[in-house]
Each structure stands twice: as structure tokens, then as C-alpha cells.
């Protein structure tokens, strides 16, 4: 008899994106004339082509693999030294942050890393998760048994939910209770909020006091424009003792299809044994990564390295500028139409407060029907997202401008 992992039966059906697809399909079938007019502002995926520097590096690496003299088979599981060194140098040491090359673990995505990291933590850790949230953090904890069942509101028993609201600037207050693992993502998906140095310092203090670990998702780090806003948790004193950072080339270099990311695991991090002994986490992650993973492909790692070349940096800056100009255009349109808009300054997402009392899904239907625009309902990211919707700035300029024009012309008082 093969016994299955019954934690999976606690998972709620992946509801958000299938439900969006179902409603869009129903609408376009009922209004075939409008089908071609539909603009998707809901998806968190890049739209613009890969930088030339990355494509050149890919071509060159493929040609190397085609020659006996330069052919390569398996590479180091943790990533090639050329890439780990470029990352540690340019993303950390150039900014005065003390991260060694071998504290960088190259992978094929932050999504996998966020899930796999739970392998090195024992059962029974109490997990603190922001609400609204990127669903991966919650679901991976359900899968490993760190939660109880979901209640009527969809909240899982045993999880410390950290509400992120307009009042707290979408950066959660420090909870009174202790947590062992804390998920923070800044710049944030879905709210587009950023955390200040003081706010992150308070979380680092809390984590150190409780011997907790912060899992810091910095996938949107490249979008930070406001001076003084941290790009990395390691800008905070003491974070080397309590934080793992996840980064990805998906949103800066447009690698969502190419796949490359990395996780920073400082050697100074410790966890507790049940016997009360403090032990470093680093050897566990090294063992995990090298046992379960065989490395990112050589051409892809060369493409990631090219992001740090002078040409690559320029192209990535231009890509980020491009999406942030979309964000500006969309932001002005929505606030001009009288709605409160958050985010979109240091992140490619706008988090929009709908008219008072109008639920997120009602706004979704209203925008689809009246403007043929697809957004993501805030309630799909957690209970605290109710009444909000997310607009993504990942789009062509033409579509962003068209969507902005339609949004600006809407009478949102009719949404209810
Ligand atoms: C897009 C995104 C990532 C990156 O995931 P990859 O698997 O590296 O593509 C990580 N975290 C958040 C919150 C994201 O939105």
C-alpha cells in the first residue's frame, strides 16, 4: 500500500487564476465582438523580449556545447563559479554587503526555492505569512504539514496571518506572539508596497529575539527606485544571523521563460535541534540542493551572468524603466478616475482600492464588462485583499496606454 501525503487534501483548489479564465471565457463567448478588445492586466509575467546581451551569451554558450574542446556536461549543482561570483560581487559586495560567493545557490526559480527551503526546517514550525500574499508560501507550508485545516474564511489553522492594510502601508505590524519562520516579500506582490529600513530592522530584531528565520523574497528588487529603500534584507544589521533571501532573474532580465534564480544562505544562520542545540543551516541547504538538483543549464547561467555586464545592466535598466513607465501611465489613469492607488512606484504592480463596499470580484466583472480589462481580484490573494484589485504593469506600451484610456473614462460610482 502506498500512503499519500494527506496534507495535500487540506489545500484549497487553485481557485484564483482558473476562475479568472472561466469568467473571461464566459464573457467573450457572450460578447464575441468584444473578444478582440480584451486587455489582460492581471498577469504577473513579463511581456518584453530577452535583452540582447543575454541572447548573445546564450548563442555563444550553445556553440561551446557544440564543440568537443568546449563541451560541458554536468556543472556544479550550486551553480558555476562565474555566476555565483558575479552575483555575490555585483548584487551584494559592491553595495557593501558581506556575502560570500559560496553563500549563493543558483537554481531554476525562486518559486521552487521558496518551496524547497522547507525541507531543511523540521516539522512543527510556526509560520507567519502576510495577508494578502503570493500563494506559494502558504500552499508549500500546507503540503509539509505546518498548518491545520482551512477554516470557512480560507485561513489555515496554525498560521500567524499578518494583515497588510492601507493603515500600515502594507507592511505588517510585529505580532505579539512568537513565530519560527516569517515570510516577507518587498517590493511586494501583489500590493506593490516597499518596506523601509526601519520596518525591516524591526522584523530582524523580532526574528533574532525569537531565534526565527526570515524568508525574504526580493524578486522585485530591481524595481526599487526610491533612494533609501533597501534592495536586500542584508542591508539590515543582524540579517546575516536570521534571514535567507530569494532572488530571481525572472522580473529584471525577463527570464520567466528561460528560468534562473538564486537563494542566499549565509553560513552564520542557525536553527535549533529538538534537543536544544544550535546548528548551522548552511550544510543542510548545501546537502539538499546538491542531492535534489543537478544545476541550471550552462547556457542559461551564461545568460544570467550577462545581466551583470555593462550592456546587460543597461538593457535591464531600460526594461525596468519601460514597465515602470507603464505603471506610471496606469497609476495616473486610475487615480484620475477617483480611486485610491497604492504601489506602482517601486514595483510593477498597482494595488487599487475599489469604491467603498464593492467586493473585488464585483470590480472584476465591472471592469471586464465596461472596459474589457482583466485585473486580478485582491481577495484572491487573501482575506485582507478584499475590496482591492491588482493591475500589473507588465504589458506592451500600446496595451498599457489603451487600458489607461479606458480606465480613465470609467465611472466607478456605477461599479456597485
Ligand atoms: C515572479 C515572482 C517570483 C519569481 O519566481 P521564479 O520562479 O523565479 O520565476 C518570486 N516571488 C514572487 C512574489 C514573484 O512574484
Amino acid at each position: 500500500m502506498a500512503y499519500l501525503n494527506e496534507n495535500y487534501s487540506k489545500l484549497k483548489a487553485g481557485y484564483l487564476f482558473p476562475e479568472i479564465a472561466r469568467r473571461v471565457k464566459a464573457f467573450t463567448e457572450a460578447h464575441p465582438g468584444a473578444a478582440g478588445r480584451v486587455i489582460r492586466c492581471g498577469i504577473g509575467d513579463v511581456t518584453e523580449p530577452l535583452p540582447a546581451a543575454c541572447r548573445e551569451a546564450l548563442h555563444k554558450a550553445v556553440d561551446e556545447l557544440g564543440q568537443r574542446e568546449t563541451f560541458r556536461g554536468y556543472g556544479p549543482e550550486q551553480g558555476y563559479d562565474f555566476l555565483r561570483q558575479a552575483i555575490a560581487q555585483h548584487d551584494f559586495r559592491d553595495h557593501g554587503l558581506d556575502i560570500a560567493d559560496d553563500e549563493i545557490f543558483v537554481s531554476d526559480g525562486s518559486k521552487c526555492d521558496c518551496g524547497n527551503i522547507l525541507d531543511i526546517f523540521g516539522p512543527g514550525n510556526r509560520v507567519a505569512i502576510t495577508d494578502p500574499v503570493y500563494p506559494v508560501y502558504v500552499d508549500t507550508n500546507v503540503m509539509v504539514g505546518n498548518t491545520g485545516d482551512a477554516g470557512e474564511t480560507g485561513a489555515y489553522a496554525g498560521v500567524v496571518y499578518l494583515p497588510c492594510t492601507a493603515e500600515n502601508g502594507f507592511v505588517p505590524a510585529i505580532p505579539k506572539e512568537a513565530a519560527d519562520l516569517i515570510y516577507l516579500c518587498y517590493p511586494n506582490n501583489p500590493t506593490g508596497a516597499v518596506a523601509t529600513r526601519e520596518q525591516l530592522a524591526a522584523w530582524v530584531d523580532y526574528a533574532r529575539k525569537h531565534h526565527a528565520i526570515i524568508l525574504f523574497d526580493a524578486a522585485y528588487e530591481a524595481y526599487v527606485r526610491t533612494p533609501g529603500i533597501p534592495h536586500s534584507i542584508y542591508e539590515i544589521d543582524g540579517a546575516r544571523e536570521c534571514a535567507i533571501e530569494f532572488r530571481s532573474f525572472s522580473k529584471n532580465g525577463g527570464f520567466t521563460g528561460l528560468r534562473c534564480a538564486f537563494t542566499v544562505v549565509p553560513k552564520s544562520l542557525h536553527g535549533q535541534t529538538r534537543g536544544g542545540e544550535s546548528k548551522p543551516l548552511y550544510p543542510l541547504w548545501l546537502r539538499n540542493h546538491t542531492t535534489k538538483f543537478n544545476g541550471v543549464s550552462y547556457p542559461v547561467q551564461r545568460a544570467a551572468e550577462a545581466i551583470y555586464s555593462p550592456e546587460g545592466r543597461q538593457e535591464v535598466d531600460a526594461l525596468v524603466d519601460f514597465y515602470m513607465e507603464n505603471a506610471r501611465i496606469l497609476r495616473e489613469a486610475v487615480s484620475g478616475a477617483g480611486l485610491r492607488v497604492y504601489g506602482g512606484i517601486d514595483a510593477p504592480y498597482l494595488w487599487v482600492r475599489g469604491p467603498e463596499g464593492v467586493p473585488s470580484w464585483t470590480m472584476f466583472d465591472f471592469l471586464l464588462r465596461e472596459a474589457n480589462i482583466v485585473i486580478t481580484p485582491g481577495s484572491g490573494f487573501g482575506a485582507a485583499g478584499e475590496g482591492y484589485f491588482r493591475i500589473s504593469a507588465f504589458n506592451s506600451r500600446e496595451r498599457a496606454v489603451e487600458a489607461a484610456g479606458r480606465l480613465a473614462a470609467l465611472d466607478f460610482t456605477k461599479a456597485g
Side-chain angles (χ1 to χ4, degrees), residues 134-264:
Y134 180 56
V136 176
Y137 313 147
V138 180
D139 288 358
T140 52
N141 274 285
V142 175
M143 288 171 176
V144 301
N146 279 343
T147 76
D149 289 323
E152 258 171 48
T153 61
Y156 287 94
V159 172
V160 179
Y161 286 95
L162 308 167
C164 297
T165 61
E167 289 67 43
N168 61 25
F170 307 99
V171 179
I174 305 291
K176 296 206 170 52
E177 62 207 301
D180 307 306
L181 299 177
I182 302 142
Y183 287 83
L184 296 177
C185 171
Y186 290 99
N188 189 259
N189 175 12
T191 66
V194 287
T196 64
R197 191 171 300 279
E198 293 70 30
Q199 287 168 323
L200 292 179
W203 278 103
V204 166
D205 280 352
Y206 169 87
R208 296 194 65 188
K209 188 169 126 206
H210 293 287
H211 302 285
I213 297 287
I214 294 173
L215 301 169
F216 191 77
D217 185 342
Y220 296 94
E221 162 280 326
Y223 290 82
V224 171
R225 289 300 163 84
T226 304
I229 294 294
H231 290 242
S232 165
I233 192 72
Y234 303 116
E235 292 180 41
I236 310 301
D237 282 341
R240 271 193 63 92
E241 273 64 56
C242 66
I244 289 172
E245 182 161 298
F246 302 98
R247 290 227 195 161
S248 173
F249 299 105
S250 284
K251 311 295 169 32
N252 61 354
F255 276 38
T256 54
L258 197 56
R259 311 302 305 143
C260 196
F262 62 91
T263 293
V264 187

Side-chain angles (χ1 to χ4, degrees), residues 73-92:
Y74 289 123
E77 293 96 339
Q78 311 95 300
Y80 280 103
D81 287 343
F82 64 78
L83 180 56
R84 299 173 90 191
Q85 201 262 327
I87 292 169
Q89 187 64 47
H90 298 299
D91 280 343
F92 298 98

Side-chain angles (χ1 to χ4, degrees), residues 396-411:
S396 66
R397 178 59 42 77
E398 190 191 351
R399 289 213 177 89
V401 168
E402 173 64 25
R406 293 187 204 168
L407 288 164
L410 272 182
D411 180 357

Side-chain angles (χ1 to χ4, degrees), residues 262-286:
F262 62 91
T263 293
V264 187
V265 181
K267 290 181 195 133
S268 41
L269 294 175
H270 287 77
Q272 296 262 330
T273 66
R274 286 284 160 196
E277 229 185 316
S278 173
K279 291 200 160 175
L281 289 170
Y282 182 91
L284 277 65
W285 183 246
L286 177 64

